[in-house]
Amino acid sequence: MDFTPTEEQRAAAELAARIFGDLSTHERLTAAGTGSDTGLWKELCAAGLVAAVADTGLLGLVLLLEEQGRTTAQVPFAASCVYGLLALTAHGSPEQRERLLPGIADGTVVVTGAPADSGVRSASGRLTGVLPAVPWLRDATHVLVADDRRRLRLVRTAEAAASEPVELTAPWSAGRLTLDGTPGEAVGAAGAYDDMLATARTAFAGLQAGVCAGSLARAVEHTNTREQFGQPLAVRQGVQLRAADAYMDTEAIRVTAYEAAWRRDAGLPYAAHALTAAWWASEAGQRVVHTGQHLHGGAGADLAHPVHRHFLWGRQLDAYLGCGGELLQELGELIANGEAGT
């Protein structure tokens, strides 16, 4: 294994860090409310960062999502890359790729997804069911849906029976999607669902690594500048131990996400590794964002404080693709059935 970024991956991550750092500011996030920052999304697409994922692979996307997570930037970057660009590149037909990938790259087509078993029924290419909380639905032109037989279907949001905004824990521009005989074009064959789910788990684990790193960085800055009894809070052993534990948890999320992404890019089995990364993102992620908030003391309880956004994102990601217990059970079944790979 070699997780050293290529020159192209490193350049893309540095550019993403610069754009997110410059534009995903506290003031812009406050102005966006629970919606997306459309100006930031346009800048990312214009810089070619969405298109770059086709060349940098899943590991490259994980590196980019770390930078998004550090600033909790409110754009559909993870969703459109996972459920759109990577899913169609791997499983779309030549016609689908030709029709949709250019628009995904320039941001005029935004794809989101409902990866979990949703109970959506499929008959003769038409879908019926309700997806109660689809992240980034308010921005999406298309939704990648898994039907009741674990087949991937791509739905145009304009053709859905209804789409209405809902609020999640994190400000992810979410919505409730109602399908009633809605056309859904098939994407991929058998196995496409499992690959898409493992890809999503890996990518969102990378996003969680960034969320945790950003929360910890804010906590370190606060405890080094906030004084109590004439000394910075950071000199106290209890503060140091909690910060050290949070750092180790963050690194565990990061390295497991890197390994799963590297294995996918190398064409190796990675379902068990994606589950491992998702488990760390769920279990360790919630510990880290709680620590970030606690180390801010009373300021961390302020809903308007920047560190609170990391807390909200961390808790949302904790449950988005399955909470820790569910993931651990699925991983155990995979190992017991001899399907974990090496």
Side-chain angles (χ1 to χ4, degrees):
M1 292 181 291
D2 183 3
F3 304 150
T4 305
T6 64
E7 184 176 343
E8 188 176 17
Q9 289 170 338
R10 185 180 295 108
E14 289 173 354
L15 177 59
R18 186 160 62 249
I19 294 174
F20 283 127
D22 289 345
L23 298 182
S24 186
T25 61
H26 176 61
E27 292 75 21
R28 287 179 70 116
L29 289 168
T30 300
T34 62
S36 297
D37 186 335
T38 55
L40 174 56
W41 179 239
K42 290 178 181 178
E43 287 288 338
L44 292 167
C45 294
L49 287 174
V50 176
V53 174
D55 298 318
T56 60
L58 183 54
L59 181 55
L61 176 59
V62 166
L63 295 171
L64 297 177
L65 292 179
E66 277 193 80
E67 300 304 332
Q68 179 185 3
R70 289 179 200 278
T71 60
T72 61
Q74 292 174 201
V75 288
F77 193 81
S80 206
C81 286
V82 168
Y83 304 120
L85 191 143
L86 289 180
L88 290 172
T89 298
H91 305 291
S93 67
E95 186 277 331
Q96 286 172 329
R97 293 196 295 269
E98 182 179 358
R99 170 164 47 94
L100 295 169
L101 288 180
I104 293 172
D106 66 23
T108 56
V109 173
V110 176
V111 185
T112 189
D117 294 333
S118 59
V120 170
R121 301 180 305 280
S122 175
S124 302
R126 293 186 174 270
L127 306 176
T128 300
V130 177
L131 302 171
V134 181
W136 311 112
L137 181 62
R138 295 177 231 169
D139 304 319
T141 58
H142 297 74
V143 182
L144 190 65
V145 177
D147 67 15
D148 52 350
R149 284 182 278 181
R150 295 164 70 95
R151 298 173 303 186
L152 295 181
R153 305 287 182 181
L154 191 64
V155 174
R156 288 177 54 86
T157 53
E159 296 176 341
S163 175
E164 53 188 308
V166 298
E167 300 302 338
L168 302 181
T169 300
W172 282 5
S173 194
R176 174 188 176 92
L177 188 69
T178 302
L179 307 174
D180 187 7
T182 305
E185 57 179 307
V187 176
Y193 170 83
D194 292 330
D195 179 63
M196 182 275 298
L197 183 57
T199 299
R201 284 170 167 162
T202 304
F204 281 92
L207 183 61
Q208 181 76 300
V211 169
C212 291
S215 175
L216 184 57
R218 291 186 183 279
V220 168
E221 180 182 11
H222 176 79
T223 55
N224 274 287
T225 55
R226 175 74 170 176
E227 291 191 357
Q228 189 178 62
F229 305 115
Q231 290 183 316
L233 292 173
V235 304
R236 304 190 178 279
Q237 189 177 48
V239 172
Q240 294 172 3
L241 290 173
R242 287 212 65 183
D245 286 343
Y247 174 79
M248 293 303 295
D249 274 338
T250 301
E251 288 301 296
I253 300 169
R254 177 181 287 116
V255 73
T256 52
Y258 283 6
E259 181 178 12
W262 174 83
R263 290 181 68 88
R264 182 189 188 273
D265 291 343
L268 299 171
Y270 75 109
H273 302 79
L275 279 165
T276 302
W279 182 83
W280 274 104
S282 174
E283 292 289 302
Q286 61 173 309
R287 290 197 297 265
V288 174
V289 295
H290 272 91
T291 293
Q293 198 164 25
H294 290 167
L295 290 181
H296 277 77
D302 182 357
L303 301 184
H305 195 284
V307 78
H308 190 69
R309 293 194 187 93
H310 293 270
F311 175 78
L312 295 178
W313 278 64
R315 292 314 308 262
Q316 184 71 57
L317 286 163
D318 164 29
Y320 176 51
L321 295 174
C323 67
E326 295 172 334
L327 295 166
L328 201 59
Q329 179 179 347
E330 189 176 341
L331 178 58
E333 292 171 352
L334 204 66
I335 295 172
N337 294 332
E339 301 172 0
T342 57

